[in-house]
């Protein structure tokens, strides 16, 4: 037998012995099955048909950019409106009071404001130039006075505020399926101040007033998609 063949046979034998030894020395002891793990492995796999047919082969080399998160659609329709109004009535003790008839006109500062800082300039209040000190964060919506909390089932779009240099500013924008006048009546019922003023022009309503050194304004106007967009600006109330 050629020497090379004898060496190959010897090498194969050594490998077999080594594997056999490893199998004997490393065989794990039987352990009890984990019921939770067993159920998880036996459960059927859920498959999204839309994702199943999607080819993600190019994802690793896709172009960069900020992540995109799709927002859920706003609640609209008769059912959403009914539930929102019912919760609003519950918050005020069962009866919404109608605000005084609106006077034609509007505050051009609030009407034309684009940013929360600009909307803040539509009212006065404690502190100086509070609008320029506004910090943007959704958490400010949780610091609104109870009187001016977001209308029930409203969808928050933007929030800003400041507690610096004597300011107690809160600026919030949200949307709701109810009509602008429903929003105005709700906040009028909660505010109930003799200094409240109600303005209306071009389907936009503004409720504004003061309390001591503080001030507030609520603007509600209809959007093209049928939702009502609301701005709540409060400083020192």
């Amino acid at each position: 037998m050629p020497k090379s063949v004898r060496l190959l046979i010897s090498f194969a034998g050594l490998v077999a012995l080594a594997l056999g030894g490893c199998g004997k020395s490393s065989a794990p002891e039987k352990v009890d099955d984990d019921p939770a793990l067993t159920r998880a492995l036996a459960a059927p796999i859920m498959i999204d048909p839309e994702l199943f047919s999607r080819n993600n082969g190019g994802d690793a080399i896709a172009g960069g950019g900020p992540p995109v998160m799709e927002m859920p659609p706003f609640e609209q329709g008769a059912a959403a409106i009914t539930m929102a109004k019912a919760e609003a009535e519950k918050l005020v003790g069962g009866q919404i009071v109608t605000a005084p008839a609106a006077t034609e006109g509007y505050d051009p500062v609030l009407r034309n404001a684009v940013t929360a800082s600009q909307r803040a300039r539509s009212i006065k209040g404690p502190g100086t130039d509070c609008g320029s000190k506004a910090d943007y964060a959704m958490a400010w919506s949780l610091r609104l006075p109870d009187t001016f909390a977001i209308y029930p089932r409203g969808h928050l779009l933007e929030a800003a505020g400041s507690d610096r240099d004597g300011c107690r500013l809160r600026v919030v924008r949200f949307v709701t399926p109810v009509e602008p006048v429903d929003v105005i009546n709700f906040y009028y019922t909660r505010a109930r101040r003799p200094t409240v003023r109600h303005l209306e022009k071009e389907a936009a309503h503004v409720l504004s007033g003061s309390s001591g050194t503080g001030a507030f304004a609520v603007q509600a106007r209809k959007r093209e998609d049928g939702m009502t967009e609301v701005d709540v600006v409060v400083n020192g109330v």
Side-chain angles (χ1 to χ4, degrees):
M1 179 183 295
K3 183 177 181 181
S4 58
V5 174
R6 288 198 303 271
L7 289 175
L8 181 59
I9 293 173
S10 299
F11 179 74
L14 290 173
V15 170
L17 289 174
L19 291 175
C22 290
K24 293 179 181 178
S25 61
S26 61
E29 296 181 2
K30 180 177 177 55
V31 296
D32 294 336
D33 291 336
D34 184 338
L37 180 59
T38 301
R39 287 195 300 272
L41 292 175
I45 299 174
M46 299 181 65
I47 298 175
D48 186 335
E50 294 184 1
L51 296 179
F52 182 75
S53 61
R54 177 180 169 185
N55 183 0
N56 296 323
D59 282 1
I61 57 174
V68 177
M69 180 178 67
E70 293 186 4
M71 297 295 290
F74 298 135
E75 292 183 4
Q76 291 180 282
I81 293 172
T82 298
M83 289 187 289
K85 294 172 83 171
E87 291 181 23
E89 291 177 357
K90 185 177 180 180
L91 283 177
V92 299
Q95 183 176 2
I96 301 288
V97 179
T98 302
T103 302
E104 184 176 3
Y106 60 83
D107 183 339
V109 176
L110 183 59
R111 175 76 176 191
N112 300 323
V114 176
T115 66
S117 177
Q118 292 171 341
R119 291 193 290 277
R121 297 190 182 100
S122 65
I123 64 170
K124 300 192 182 294
T128 304
D129 194 18
C130 295
S132 66
K133 301 178 176 68
D135 297 318
Y136 289 80
M138 293 303 193
W140 285 108
S141 65
L142 303 177
R143 302 180 191 179
L144 282 164
D146 290 342
T147 301
F148 296 98
I150 293 175
Y151 191 95
R153 295 180 176 267
H155 296 264
L156 180 64
L157 299 179
E158 180 185 26
S162 176
D163 285 328
R164 294 183 292 164
D165 302 328
C167 300
R168 296 203 309 276
L169 176 68
R170 309 288 184 266
V171 185
V172 169
R173 171 169 283 182
F174 64 90
V175 293
T176 173
V178 306
E179 293 296 314
V181 69
D182 293 321
V183 174
I184 294 299
N185 289 340
F186 171 74
Y187 286 111
Y188 174 75
T189 303
R190 303 201 84 184
R192 290 292 189 91
R193 293 180 171 85
T195 56
V196 170
R197 184 176 58 161
H198 181 195
L199 301 176
E200 178 187 4
K201 188 171 183 179
E202 299 174 5
H205 291 256
V206 175
L207 188 74
S208 61
S210 60
S211 175
T213 60
F216 70 88
V218 177
Q219 177 177 248
R221 52 185 171 184
K222 201 75 170 176
R223 302 198 318 184
E224 292 182 358
D225 63 358
M227 299 290 283
T228 295
E229 188 171 270
V230 184
D231 294 311
V232 176
V233 188
V234 180
N235 191 10
V237 176

